[in-house]
Structure formats: C-alpha cells, structure tokens
Amino acid sequence: MKLTSHMIVLVTLALTCSANAWETLPTTAGPTAEPASQEMIELGKQLFFDPRLSLTGTVSCNTCHNLMEGGDDGRETSMGIHGRTGPRNAPTVWNSVFQGSQFWDGRAATLEEQAQGPIVAAPEMGMPDHNHALQRIAKIPGYQASFQSVFGSENALTLENAVNAIAAFERTLITPHSDFDRYLDGEEHAMNAQQIAGMGRFESVGCTECHDGPALNGWQPGDVESVFQEFPRSMDSGLVDRYQLAADLGRFAVTQAESDKHLFKVPTLRNILLTAPYFHHGRVSTIHEAIDVMAQTQLDTELSGAEIAEIAAFFAALDGRFPELPLPRLPSRAGESVIDEPEVLDE
Amino acid sequence: MKLTSHMIVLVTLALTCSANAWETLPTTAGPTAEPASQEMIELGKQLFFDPRLSLTGTVSCNTCHNLMEGGDDGRETSMGIHGRTGPRNAPTVWNSVFQGSQFWDGRAATLEEQAQGPIVAAPEMGMPDHNHALQRIAKIPGYQASFQSVFGSENALTLENAVNAIAAFERTLITPHSDFDRYLDGEEHAMNAQQIAGMGRFESVGCTECHDGPALNGWQPGDVESVFQEFPRSMDSGLVDRYQLAADLGRFAVTQAESDKHLFKVPTLRNILLTAPYFHHGRVSTIHEAIDVMAQTQLDTELSGAEIAEIAAFFAALDGRFPELPLPRLPSRAGESVIDEPEVLDE
C-alpha cells in the first residue's frame, strides 16, 4: 500500500495528539536540568526590555513581544529598526516555554536559540553581528557586574550567557488560572453556557485534533519537538486566495523537504483574543475570520455565524492571569553615551 | 544708561535665581487644584506605555522617555516611526513636573500641552491628527470604560482627558532621596569627599547661577515659567564649532523675538549621569565634555581635568531613588486588530 500525504498527516495526528484534549496550563515551566537563579531571571528580564540591544537603540525584545499586552505587537508583521518590516507575524512570548520549538517554522529548537535571531535580523534589531551587540552591552558596567555575578567567570559577557538569561526569564512568562483552567479544575461557573458550548463545538468540529494539550498547540510536557501541520490543508477554498494563505512555504524553507511545504507550527491558543491579527502573515484581522478560515481550510467544514461566535466565546476563557511584573531598572553607563555607532550599515 | 544684552542676562539671573542654591527634591508634586485620582494616574500610565498611540503601533511615550532608565532614550536625537529622527535630544521625563514649561524651547506651558505634541509629530508617533489617535484608542473597550469611569461622562474619550491622564501619571515620576538629598538632610556620609568638593566647585565656578533650586534648573515651586538662558553665551570658544552649538536658535523659533535667539530652558541636573548624550542636540557624548563646554562657553572658565572629575562625581550624587513601577496591563480589543490604518501617509 502506498501512503498518500493525506494518510501520513492522519498517522502523524494519531501519534502526536493526546487522548485527552483538555488540560490545564502548568503554573511553572517545570524542572529543568539547571534551574535558573532569581538573579539570572532578573538579568534576562533587563536584557529582554533593553532597546540598546538594537543598532539604533530603539527596539527591544519587548517591542515585538509586548508583555504589557498579548506578548506580541498587534501588527500584521513586526516593524524593527528604520521602519523595516519582516515577513511573519510576531508569535506571543507568553507560554512560549510550552512549545517544542520556536518561530512559525520551528527553525529554533529552544528559547535560547530563538533569542539569538532577532538581534542580528536586519528588519528587527538590526545588529550587524552578535559581537556588535555584546560590545554595546559591555560598555555598561552594571551588565558587566551582573553577568559576572550570575555566570561566575571573568569573561562572562557572552552570547551564550545572554540568551540563557533571556530564556530563563521567558520560562517565567506563564499565564495560568484562565477561566478555562478553573472550569477544568471544577469551578463550573468559571465559563458561561456559550463558552461551554463553544468548547464542545471546538472539539466536535475537530479543532482538538491539533489544538490540544496544556497550551492547545499539540505539545505535551517532555516533547522535544513542536507539532507541525499543513496550512492551508485544502487549497480549494476561496479563502486561500482572499487571505493569501499559500504564498509562504513555511517549514520547507528550513528543511528543503518537499513534505514540509506549507507546514507551520501549531500555535498556542492561550490568550488568542489578545494577539490579533492572526496567522503566520497576520493578514486575518479578526478571530471570527480566523475560525472560519481554519474550519474551511483545515477541517472542510463551514461553520455558521453562531457556531463561530460560540468558539470565539470559548477562546475568551483562554485569557490567562498575567503575573505582575515590576518594570526593570536598566543599568546605565554613567555620564557617557552607549549608542555611538553608525546607524545605517552597508548591507 | 543703555542696557546691554549681557547686563539684561545678569539682571534676569538676579531676579530668577534663589539665594540658597541647595534644596532637596520634593517627594511629591505638591497640591494641585484638582488632585488626580489613582485611577486617573493608572489610565495615564497605560497611555504613556501604549505604542498604539503611534501610527505604526511601535512608538509609545516610553520609547523616547524610557522609565526603565534615565527617562530618555540615550540617543543624540530621538527616533520615531519609520526610523525618522527629530532635531533635538529627548529631555528626561523624570521630575519634569519641576519645570515651569516643557520642551527645550519651553513651547509648551504644561505637561498636558506637551503630551499633545509627539502624538502628531511626523518624526515621533506620526499620527496625522489627534482624532486619528483618539479613534485608535476608542476601538479598545477597556479604554472606553476607563475614560468613562475616570472622567464620568458619555463622551469622555477626548484629547483633553487623555493628556490630563498622561500628565497626572507624569507628576508621579519623581526621584527623591538621592545621596545629595540625604547629604542636605544631614547624612554627612551620604556623599564622599570628592563629591563634596565637586559640590563646592560647582557653586564657586558659578554653575548655581542657573542650576539651582530643587531640580537644579533654576525653577522654584510656584514658578509658572521656566528659566531660559543663552547657550552658548560666548561664541568665542572653539567648542562652539566643534560641537555645533550655535546652529539651533532655541526659543527664538517659538517667540520670533530677537532677544530669544539661542535661549534654551535650563535643564534639570537630577539623574544627569543617566541621560547621556548631552545638550539640546545630543552632540556631546560624555558628561566630562559637557561640563567643560558649560564652563568655557557659559562661565568663561577653563576647568582642569581634576576639577571636571570633581563636578562629575558630585553629579553621581544626583541619581535619585526611582519608584518601583509595575508594568501596566494594556487593554486589548478582543479578537480584532487595532492597528489597521495605512502606515505611510501622504505628507
């Protein structure tokens, strides 16, 4: 018997999706080999919020992954230095620890690896190379002292240590205790009737084939890889053209494997109402359109307006409780400019 | 007797500068006609941090007035949307309540008036007009609710209310209890010997002729106008050319009065070591150069390296204690994009 690509998808689904679609979000990232110290997390938080990591001193990690809102930037695609824009929509950094890989195409295996990317991406923080960023940070005595204190060596200010600190901070960015979590924990009034109906609809239509597990992204604790799915699965829908869904080849650009064409990481649905616009390219403005697109292109189902509204209501129950974060104090270089490089580079 | 402009400056100094150069920073902005509610301050804080007030959704008040550091952006001149830069260095927002007017040229009388400017300045937040910004904010139900709750009317989401809230928040941005304040309060070991010597040098050289009062900017509680001074006062110094000090006509652009040519507001020296680079154009990278320039061009005095170092050491005692600020949660438009306007406008 020859396996068709459609059959492979189904087999993959059977292997990767858990039996129980509904799971509460863990309240911590769980034990790691080397648990991070509070001091390391604080350093990572400073770096996360520090725009001096960008060539022009204007773009921090938080610019595109705004922790004051949905952990994204609310734009179709992000805007970095000099008003440059990239090709994809910024995924939320909230609960990103509950993913088996990072970026829409999973090209970074870990949060540490992910954190390296934007620093040197021309349309993001735009540093010509990582050394440039490290030399910038090294001008600031407070960072020198923190890196030495956290990592305990003379030459502690390295890219590896910097991204380790950023990732340690990101592992704390968890939003548990949503209405959905409290409902699963037995608080039956935590969700209203429409939301409970939407939860049932979400499962019966088939969304949980991929959007299951604690982050509703197919990931399970211990998974070292993310779940990838073809999107759009059906090219027949008129929505494919309307929203330009087929232009981006997704994971294919990473692996060059034919079978990875149009594969994207299944995104978490936690806090999904806070991260419009939607999909890898941000071309879908509303959650109602997004639900419609998913049902038609992925599940060959046309939902009524009422059914879409039910599922959207369920999504409101996925808004988590955000930890209170004190604004970090960023260390200064006393009485001396830090941003003193040419701002436009030959490319 | 005909008054020369130099004599007028001296008379002005005598009228505007207090007898006692040394004053501690107040810990609050003091009573105002209508004290702001905590709810209004919180709303102002949200608006201050919200990048959706800019056309591209990428630039907030905090972008150029970063409260995580010196209340500025560390750049020569600020960079707004699309990588555009303005003509002047961002003044610190910390302790800006202790000024009799806002902007380097004092063109805004109040914090409320100041807050209107950047929203519609092309090289800053770049909104085509204030209505555009208000319509953006009005899409967000949480803001609708907050404005109504704070300002108690049906049509509460107005520019006036928005800038009132922002200014109410800014009035809380005070950094008291510096080493200098504690020294003045009798803690004799709060400053070291070099700093005490620097404080004496700062006065004996003549810096306190302008940089006096609680914010070291000539301002006194109750003053309704800022103190303006000619800069550079002497055009003879080679430093004028080296640092291009004379190109900007300062307050003249506001008043068109000949006597206002090259007049600038005396800036606060509170937290001055955190706000390099220096002066209205940010072309002076270090505090040592800045002290040298001021002594030569304003006081006709050439200081030794040791004397400059003394004064710089004194400045370190002006770093205040920063209030701990929880990161605000910005209200979201559930499941719908907020930034959906064309990003490049005909100009």
Side-chain angles (χ1 to χ4, degrees):
Chain A
M1 183 181 89
K2 190 159 177 294
L3 287 176
T4 65
S5 72
H6 196 75
M7 288 167 75
I8 291 171
V9 166
L10 290 176
V11 170
T12 309
L13 278 176
L15 292 174
T16 55
C17 295
S18 73
N20 181 4
W22 310 122
E23 294 175 54
T24 59
L25 198 69
T27 55
T28 68
T32 54
E34 283 190 71
S37 65
Q38 194 55 42
E39 197 183 2
M40 180 168 162
I41 292 169
E42 281 302 316
L43 173 59
K45 181 180 174 186
Q46 288 176 316
L47 294 169
F48 186 89
F49 279 98
D50 201 328
R52 294 171 296 188
L53 279 175
S54 66
L55 185 66
T56 55
T58 56
V59 175
S60 70
C61 304
N62 194 68
T63 300
C64 300
H65 300 287
N66 193 344
L67 294 178
M68 296 175 233
E69 213 207 344
D72 68 332
D73 55 12
R75 292 178 45 86
E76 289 190 12
T77 67
S78 294
M79 181 173 272
I81 67 165
H82 299 309
R84 300 174 189 150
T85 53
R88 295 216 180 106
N89 180 263
T92 181
V93 71
W94 290 110
N95 306 304
S96 57
V97 62
F98 302 127
Q99 295 175 159
S101 66
Q102 306 298 327
F103 294 114
W104 278 100
D105 53 18
R107 67 184 183 275
T110 63
L111 289 167
E112 285 80 354
E113 197 182 331
Q114 188 281 329
Q116 298 184 23
I119 299 171
V120 293
E124 301 187 42
M125 298 161 107
M127 284 289 192
D129 53 54
H130 285 115
N131 273 340
H132 208 92
L134 292 171
Q135 283 161 17
R136 175 80 66 80
I137 295 300
K139 291 178 191 167
I140 303 165
Y143 274 130
Q144 290 275 9
S146 291
F147 272 86
Q148 277 184 34
S149 174
V150 170
F151 297 102
S153 69
E154 281 288 303
N155 300 309
L157 216 162
T158 64
L159 177 65
E160 186 184 352
N161 287 342
V163 297
N164 281 347
I166 291 171
F169 171 60
E170 290 177 335
R171 288 199 177 84
T172 70
L173 300 175
I174 299 173
T175 67
H177 307 307
S178 67
D179 292 345
F180 169 66
D181 292 303
R182 294 192 296 107
Y183 179 83
L184 293 183
D185 278 341
E187 285 185 48
E188 61 186 58
H189 297 296
M191 301 208 309
N192 63 30
Q194 189 190 26
Q195 293 177 318
I196 294 168
M199 180 177 164
R201 180 81 54 195
F202 185 80
E203 188 169 25
S204 65
V205 168
C207 308
T208 48
E209 283 176 29
C210 301
H211 288 288
D212 67 344
L216 295 154
N217 63 348
W219 176 91
Q220 283 294 334
D223 283 357
V224 293
E225 284 182 18
S226 283
V227 180
F228 296 92
Q229 293 291 345
E230 194 177 5
F231 175 70
R233 197 180 282 179
S234 158
M235 293 286 180
D236 298 337
S237 166
L239 300 176
V240 174
D241 274 353
R242 189 197 303 171
Y243 295 112
Q244 302 176 38
L245 300 180
D248 189 330
L249 295 184
R251 193 158 169 72
F252 172 78
V254 181
T255 64
Q256 306 299 318
E258 275 297 312
S259 58
D260 280 343
K261 272 191 177 164
H262 298 292
L263 257 58
F264 290 90
K265 189 175 64 175
V266 177
T268 179
L269 297 185
R270 295 281 177 175
N271 308 305
I272 189 70
L273 292 196
L274 309 186
T275 63
Y278 297 105
F279 299 131
H280 59 273
H281 58 2
R283 286 184 178 270
V284 174
S285 297
T286 73
I287 196 68
H288 292 81
E289 290 170 282
I291 293 167
D292 187 31
V293 166
M294 288 307 279
Q296 291 199 47
T297 67
Q298 306 304 96
L299 298 165
D300 201 20
T301 301
E302 198 149 348
L303 297 172
S304 71
E307 288 166 337
I308 291 172
E310 271 178 358
I311 293 175
F314 166 55
F315 286 172
L318 301 177
D319 287 358
R321 199 171 295 171
F322 292 86
E324 187 164 289
L325 292 171
L327 221 62
R329 287 295 309 157
L330 302 183
S332 296
R333 185 189 202 185
E336 195 163 350
S337 186
V338 170
I339 305 164
D340 49 10
E341 296 85 358
E343 289 185 341
V344 179
L345 301 165
D346 296 333
E347 279 159 22
Chain B
M1 182 181 85
K2 190 158 179 294
L3 288 175
T4 65
S5 71
H6 196 76
M7 289 168 73
I8 291 172
V9 167
L10 291 176
V11 169
T12 309
L13 279 176
L15 291 174
T16 55
C17 295
S18 73
N20 180 8
W22 309 124
E23 294 176 55
T24 59
L25 198 69
T27 55
T28 68
T32 54
E34 282 189 71
S37 65
Q38 194 55 42
E39 197 184 3
M40 180 168 162
I41 292 169
E42 281 302 317
L43 172 59
K45 182 180 173 186
Q46 289 176 316
L47 294 169
F48 186 90
F49 278 98
D50 201 328
R52 293 171 296 188
L53 279 174
S54 65
L55 185 64
T56 54
T58 57
V59 174
S60 71
C61 304
N62 193 69
T63 300
C64 300
H65 300 287
N66 193 344
L67 295 177
M68 297 175 232
E69 213 208 345
D72 69 332
D73 55 10
R75 293 177 44 87
E76 289 189 12
T77 66
S78 294
M79 181 173 273
I81 67 163
H82 298 309
R84 299 175 189 149
T85 53
R88 295 217 180 108
N89 181 263
T92 180
V93 71
W94 290 110
N95 307 304
S96 56
V97 62
F98 302 127
Q99 295 175 160
S101 66
Q102 305 298 328
F103 293 115
W104 277 99
D105 53 18
R107 67 184 182 275
T110 63
L111 289 168
E112 285 81 355
E113 197 183 330
Q114 188 281 330
Q116 297 184 22
I119 298 171
V120 293
E124 302 186 44
M125 298 162 108
M127 283 290 191
D129 53 53
H130 285 116
N131 273 340
H132 209 93
L134 292 170
Q135 284 163 13
R136 175 81 65 82
I137 294 301
K139 292 179 192 166
I140 303 165
Y143 274 131
Q144 290 274 11
S146 291
F147 273 85
Q148 277 185 32
S149 174
V150 170
F151 298 102
S153 69
E154 280 288 304
N155 299 308
L157 215 162
T158 64
L159 178 65
E160 186 184 352
N161 288 342
V163 298
N164 281 347
I166 292 172
F169 170 60
E170 290 176 335
R171 287 197 176 86
T172 70
L173 301 175
I174 299 173
T175 67
H177 308 307
S178 68
D179 291 346
F180 170 67
D181 293 303
R182 295 191 295 109
Y183 179 82
L184 292 183
D185 277 341
E187 284 186 48
E188 59 187 61
H189 297 296
M191 301 209 307
N192 65 29
Q194 188 192 26
Q195 293 178 319
I196 295 167
M199 180 177 165
R201 180 79 56 195
F202 185 79
E203 186 167 28
S204 66
V205 169
C207 308
T208 48
E209 284 176 29
C210 301
H211 289 287
D212 67 344
L216 296 154
N217 62 348
W219 176 90
Q220 283 294 335
D223 283 357
V224 291
E225 284 183 16
S226 284
V227 179
F228 295 92
Q229 293 292 344
E230 194 178 5
F231 175 71
R233 196 179 285 179
S234 159
M235 293 286 180
D236 298 336
S237 166
L239 299 176
V240 174
D241 275 353
R242 190 196 301 170
Y243 295 112
Q244 302 178 38
L245 300 181
D248 189 330
L249 295 183
R251 192 156 169 75
F252 172 78
V254 180
T255 64
Q256 305 298 320
E258 275 298 311
S259 58
D260 281 340
K261 273 191 177 164
H262 298 292
L263 257 59
F264 290 89
K265 189 176 63 175
V266 177
T268 179
L269 298 184
R270 296 280 178 176
N271 308 306
I272 190 69
L273 293 195
L274 309 186
T275 63
Y278 296 106
F279 298 131
H280 58 274
H281 58 1
R283 288 184 177 268
V284 174
S285 298
T286 72
I287 196 67
H288 292 82
E289 289 170 282
I291 294 167
D292 186 31
V293 166
M294 288 306 280
Q296 289 199 48
T297 67
Q298 306 304 95
L299 299 165
D300 202 20
T301 301
E302 197 148 349
L303 297 172
S304 71
E307 289 166 338
I308 290 172
E310 271 177 359
I311 293 174
F314 167 56
F315 286 173
L318 300 176
D319 287 357
R321 199 171 296 170
F322 293 86
E324 186 164 289
L325 292 170
L327 221 63
R329 286 296 310 159
L330 301 183
S332 296
R333 184 188 202 185
E336 196 162 351
S337 187
V338 171
I339 305 163
D340 49 11
E341 297 86 356
E343 291 185 340
V344 179
L345 301 166
D346 296 334
E347 278 159 22

mmCIF file of all heavy atoms in Angstrom, chain B residues 72-99:
data_model
loop_
_atom_site.group_PDB
_atom_site.id
_atom_site.type_symbol
_atom_site.label_atom_id
_atom_site.label_comp_id
_atom_site.label_asym_id
_atom_site.label_seq_id
_atom_site.Cartn_x
_atom_site.Cartn_y
_atom_site.Cartn_z
ATOM 1 N N ASP B 72 14.868 59.028 29.251
ATOM 2 C CA ASP B 72 15.164 59.485 27.894
ATOM 3 C C ASP B 72 15.474 58.240 27.062
ATOM 4 O O ASP B 72 15.149 57.130 27.487
ATOM 5 C CB ASP B 72 16.340 60.471 27.908
ATOM 6 C CG ASP B 72 17.634 59.759 28.270
ATOM 7 O OD1 ASP B 72 17.570 58.733 28.997
ATOM 8 O OD2 ASP B 72 18.707 60.191 27.839
ATOM 9 N N ASP B 73 16.121 58.414 25.890
ATOM 10 C CA ASP B 73 16.350 57.251 25.030
ATOM 11 C C ASP B 73 17.822 56.993 24.746
ATOM 12 O O ASP B 73 18.148 56.084 23.977
ATOM 13 C CB ASP B 73 15.580 57.406 23.713
ATOM 14 C CG ASP B 73 15.917 58.694 22.988
ATOM 15 O OD1 ASP B 73 16.887 59.382 23.399
ATOM 16 O OD2 ASP B 73 15.214 59.051 22.027
ATOM 17 N N GLY B 74 18.706 57.796 25.322
ATOM 18 C CA GLY B 74 20.129 57.550 25.137
ATOM 19 C C GLY B 74 20.642 57.861 23.739
ATOM 20 O O GLY B 74 21.787 57.571 23.413
ATOM 21 N N ARG B 75 19.803 58.438 22.905
ATOM 22 C CA ARG B 75 20.200 58.761 21.535
ATOM 23 C C ARG B 75 20.531 60.256 21.413
ATOM 24 O O ARG B 75 20.089 61.063 22.215
ATOM 25 C CB ARG B 75 19.058 58.434 20.565
ATOM 26 C CG ARG B 75 18.749 56.952 20.433
ATOM 27 C CD ARG B 75 17.554 56.750 19.497
ATOM 28 N NE ARG B 75 17.685 57.591 18.316
ATOM 29 C CZ ARG B 75 18.339 57.247 17.213
ATOM 30 N NH1 ARG B 75 18.874 56.049 17.114
ATOM 31 N NH2 ARG B 75 18.434 58.077 16.198
ATOM 32 N N GLU B 76 21.267 60.648 20.370
ATOM 33 C CA GLU B 76 21.515 62.078 20.143
ATOM 34 C C GLU B 76 20.184 62.795 19.979
ATOM 35 O O GLU B 76 19.857 63.728 20.710
ATOM 36 C CB GLU B 76 22.392 62.294 18.902
ATOM 37 C CG GLU B 76 23.820 61.857 19.120
ATOM 38 C CD GLU B 76 24.743 62.268 17.979
ATOM 39 O OE1 GLU B 76 24.344 63.088 17.120
ATOM 40 O OE2 GLU B 76 25.887 61.773 17.961
ATOM 41 N N THR B 77 19.428 62.357 18.988
ATOM 42 C CA THR B 77 18.063 62.849 18.846
ATOM 43 C C THR B 77 17.175 61.628 18.683
ATOM 44 O O THR B 77 17.632 60.570 18.240
ATOM 45 C CB THR B 77 17.892 63.783 17.623
ATOM 46 O OG1 THR B 77 18.083 63.037 16.431
ATOM 47 C CG2 THR B 77 18.896 64.932 17.680
ATOM 48 N N SER B 78 15.931 61.774 19.046
ATOM 49 C CA SER B 78 15.049 60.614 19.125
ATOM 50 C C SER B 78 14.705 60.063 17.751
ATOM 51 O O SER B 78 14.784 60.760 16.738
ATOM 52 C CB SER B 78 13.766 61.000 19.862
ATOM 53 O OG SER B 78 14.064 61.306 21.197
ATOM 54 N N MET B 79 14.312 58.786 17.752
ATOM 55 C CA MET B 79 13.889 58.124 16.532
ATOM 56 C C MET B 79 12.448 57.662 16.701
ATOM 57 O O MET B 79 12.127 56.921 17.614
ATOM 58 C CB MET B 79 14.792 56.934 16.246
ATOM 59 C CG MET B 79 14.454 56.185 14.970
ATOM 60 S SD MET B 79 15.695 54.904 14.589
ATOM 61 C CE MET B 79 16.905 55.862 13.655
ATOM 62 N N GLY B 80 11.589 58.151 15.811
ATOM 63 C CA GLY B 80 10.189 57.765 15.879
ATOM 64 C C GLY B 80 9.831 56.756 14.812
ATOM 65 O O GLY B 80 10.672 55.951 14.401
ATOM 66 N N ILE B 81 8.583 56.816 14.328
ATOM 67 C CA ILE B 81 8.119 55.817 13.362
ATOM 68 C C ILE B 81 8.913 55.915 12.062
ATOM 69 O O ILE B 81 9.434 56.975 11.707
ATOM 70 C CB ILE B 81 6.606 55.951 13.073
ATOM 71 C CG1 ILE B 81 6.289 57.262 12.347
ATOM 72 C CG2 ILE B 81 5.794 55.839 14.332
ATOM 73 C CD1 ILE B 81 4.917 57.257 11.671
ATOM 74 N N HIS B 82 9.018 54.769 11.393
ATOM 75 C CA HIS B 82 9.709 54.664 10.102
ATOM 76 C C HIS B 82 11.172 55.107 10.195
ATOM 77 O O HIS B 82 11.766 55.524 9.191
ATOM 78 C CB HIS B 82 8.978 55.479 9.011
ATOM 79 C CG HIS B 82 7.594 54.997 8.741
ATOM 80 N ND1 HIS B 82 7.291 53.685 8.476
ATOM 81 C CD2 HIS B 82 6.393 55.646 8.721
ATOM 82 C CE1 HIS B 82 5.993 53.544 8.284
ATOM 83 N NE2 HIS B 82 5.412 54.709 8.444
ATOM 84 N N GLY B 83 11.744 55.077 11.393
ATOM 85 C CA GLY B 83 13.151 55.437 11.551
ATOM 86 C C GLY B 83 13.437 56.914 11.386
ATOM 87 O O GLY B 83 14.589 57.319 11.205
ATOM 88 N N ARG B 84 12.403 57.729 11.452
ATOM 89 C CA ARG B 84 12.618 59.178 11.315
ATOM 90 C C ARG B 84 13.217 59.747 12.605
ATOM 91 O O ARG B 84 12.882 59.315 13.693
ATOM 92 C CB ARG B 84 11.292 59.881 11.047
ATOM 93 C CG ARG B 84 10.594 59.454 9.769
ATOM 94 C CD ARG B 84 9.229 60.141 9.696
ATOM 95 N NE ARG B 84 8.420 59.611 8.612
ATOM 96 C CZ ARG B 84 7.082 59.551 8.649
ATOM 97 N NH1 ARG B 84 6.418 60.001 9.713
ATOM 98 N NH2 ARG B 84 6.407 59.061 7.636
ATOM 99 N N THR B 85 14.080 60.748 12.448
ATOM 100 C CA THR B 85 14.663 61.377 13.631
ATOM 101 C C THR B 85 14.289 62.852 13.681
ATOM 102 O O THR B 85 14.100 63.500 12.652
ATOM 103 C CB THR B 85 16.203 61.260 13.628
ATOM 104 O OG1 THR B 85 16.694 61.769 12.393
ATOM 105 C CG2 THR B 85 16.641 59.822 13.806
ATOM 106 N N GLY B 86 14.176 63.352 14.906
ATOM 107 C CA GLY B 86 13.859 64.755 15.119
ATOM 108 C C GLY B 86 15.119 65.571 15.337
ATOM 109 O O GLY B 86 16.233 65.049 15.302
ATOM 110 N N PRO B 87 14.958 66.881 15.569
ATOM 111 C CA PRO B 87 16.116 67.773 15.669
ATOM 112 C C PRO B 87 16.731 67.863 17.062
ATOM 113 O O PRO B 87 17.849 68.347 17.201
ATOM 114 C CB PRO B 87 15.539 69.132 15.265
ATOM 115 C CG PRO B 87 14.099 69.059 15.682
ATOM 116 C CD PRO B 87 13.682 67.627 15.552
ATOM 117 N N ARG B 88 16.015 67.414 18.107
ATOM 118 C CA ARG B 88 16.514 67.670 19.457
ATOM 119 C C ARG B 88 16.591 66.405 20.288
ATOM 120 O O ARG B 88 15.923 65.406 20.029
ATOM 121 C CB ARG B 88 15.626 68.704 20.155
ATOM 122 C CG ARG B 88 15.666 70.087 19.488
ATOM 123 C CD ARG B 88 15.599 71.202 20.507
ATOM 124 N NE ARG B 88 15.638 72.525 19.866
ATOM 125 C CZ ARG B 88 14.585 73.347 19.769
ATOM 126 N NH1 ARG B 88 13.417 72.984 20.259
ATOM 127 N NH2 ARG B 88 14.718 74.532 19.194
ATOM 128 N N ASN B 89 17.420 66.481 21.313
ATOM 129 C CA ASN B 89 17.630 65.397 22.273
ATOM 130 C C ASN B 89 16.430 65.286 23.211
ATOM 131 O O ASN B 89 15.925 66.300 23.699
ATOM 132 C CB ASN B 89 18.912 65.715 23.062
ATOM 133 C CG ASN B 89 19.254 64.646 24.080
ATOM 134 O OD1 ASN B 89 18.927 64.781 25.257
ATOM 135 N ND2 ASN B 89 19.915 63.599 23.649
ATOM 136 N N ALA B 90 15.979 64.056 23.462
ATOM 137 C CA ALA B 90 14.808 63.854 24.332
ATOM 138 C C ALA B 90 15.151 64.233 25.771
ATOM 139 O O ALA B 90 16.049 63.657 26.361
ATOM 140 C CB ALA B 90 14.367 62.394 24.277
ATOM 141 N N PRO B 91 14.441 65.213 26.338
ATOM 142 C CA PRO B 91 14.683 65.534 27.753
ATOM 143 C C PRO B 91 14.077 64.449 28.630
ATOM 144 O O PRO B 91 13.156 63.748 28.230
ATOM 145 C CB PRO B 91 13.913 66.853 27.952
ATOM 146 C CG PRO B 91 13.430 67.284 26.605
ATOM 147 C CD PRO B 91 13.403 66.056 25.753
ATOM 148 N N THR B 92 14.625 64.298 29.823
ATOM 149 C CA THR B 92 14.095 63.284 30.728
ATOM 150 C C THR B 92 12.695 63.648 31.201
ATOM 151 O O THR B 92 12.378 64.826 31.422
ATOM 152 C CB THR B 92 14.999 63.091 31.955
ATOM 153 O OG1 THR B 92 14.415 62.079 32.798
ATOM 154 C CG2 THR B 92 15.160 64.374 32.767
ATOM 155 N N VAL B 93 11.858 62.627 31.349
ATOM 156 C CA VAL B 93 10.513 62.843 31.883
ATOM 157 C C VAL B 93 10.531 62.756 33.416
ATOM 158 O O VAL B 93 9.587 63.201 34.068
ATOM 159 C CB VAL B 93 9.518 61.848 31.262
ATOM 160 C CG1 VAL B 93 9.769 60.434 31.783
ATOM 161 C CG2 VAL B 93 8.073 62.251 31.534
ATOM 162 N N TRP B 94 11.611 62.189 33.974
ATOM 163 C CA TRP B 94 11.710 62.154 35.431
ATOM 164 C C TRP B 94 11.790 63.582 35.972
ATOM 165 O O TRP B 94 12.567 64.395 35.483
ATOM 166 C CB TRP B 94 12.950 61.369 35.887
ATOM 167 C CG TRP B 94 12.878 59.888 35.650
ATOM 168 C CD1 TRP B 94 13.605 59.161 34.745
ATOM 169 C CD2 TRP B 94 12.038 58.939 36.339
ATOM 170 N NE1 TRP B 94 13.266 57.836 34.814
ATOM 171 C CE2 TRP B 94 12.313 57.664 35.790
ATOM 172 C CE3 TRP B 94 11.089 59.052 37.354
ATOM 173 C CZ2 TRP B 94 11.673 56.505 36.223
ATOM 174 C CZ3 TRP B 94 10.453 57.893 37.785
ATOM 175 C CH2 TRP B 94 10.746 56.645 37.235
ATOM 176 N N ASN B 95 11.005 63.876 36.955
ATOM 177 C CA ASN B 95 10.992 65.185 37.616
ATOM 178 C C ASN B 95 10.582 66.330 36.686
ATOM 179 O O ASN B 95 10.844 67.495 36.995
ATOM 180 C CB ASN B 95 12.378 65.494 38.229
ATOM 181 C CG ASN B 95 12.856 64.377 39.140
ATOM 182 O OD1 ASN B 95 12.158 64.014 40.080
ATOM 183 N ND2 ASN B 95 14.023 63.821 38.865
ATOM 184 N N SER B 96 9.943 65.987 35.570
ATOM 185 C CA SER B 96 9.554 67.045 34.641
ATOM 186 C C SER B 96 8.458 67.937 35.243
ATOM 187 O O SER B 96 8.212 69.031 34.737
ATOM 188 C CB SER B 96 9.087 66.461 33.304
ATOM 189 O OG SER B 96 8.030 65.542 33.506
ATOM 190 N N VAL B 97 7.827 67.477 36.299
ATOM 191 C CA VAL B 97 6.846 68.333 36.983
ATOM 192 C C VAL B 97 7.539 69.537 37.621
ATOM 193 O O VAL B 97 6.905 70.570 37.836
ATOM 194 C CB VAL B 97 6.064 67.521 38.039
ATOM 195 C CG1 VAL B 97 6.980 66.984 39.130
ATOM 196 C CG2 VAL B 97 4.958 68.362 38.661
ATOM 197 N N PHE B 98 8.840 69.405 37.870
ATOM 198 C CA PHE B 98 9.569 70.522 38.480
ATOM 199 C C PHE B 98 10.192 71.423 37.417
ATOM 200 O O PHE B 98 11.380 71.731 37.438
ATOM 201 C CB PHE B 98 10.636 69.992 39.455
ATOM 202 C CG PHE B 98 10.058 69.119 40.550
ATOM 203 C CD1 PHE B 98 10.558 67.855 40.776
ATOM 204 C CD2 PHE B 98 9.010 69.562 41.345
ATOM 205 C CE1 PHE B 98 10.020 67.046 41.769
ATOM 206 C CE2 PHE B 98 8.466 68.763 42.347
ATOM 207 C CZ PHE B 98 8.971 67.492 42.555
ATOM 208 N N GLN B 99 9.389 71.776 36.451
ATOM 209 C CA GLN B 99 9.786 72.706 35.389
ATOM 210 C C GLN B 99 8.614 73.638 35.143
ATOM 211 O O GLN B 99 7.462 73.205 35.182
ATOM 212 C CB GLN B 99 10.098 71.959 34.087
ATOM 213 C CG GLN B 99 11.291 71.050 34.161
ATOM 214 C CD GLN B 99 11.516 70.233 32.899
ATOM 215 O OE1 GLN B 99 12.606 69.763 32.683
ATOM 216 N NE2 GLN B 99 10.485 70.055 32.084
#
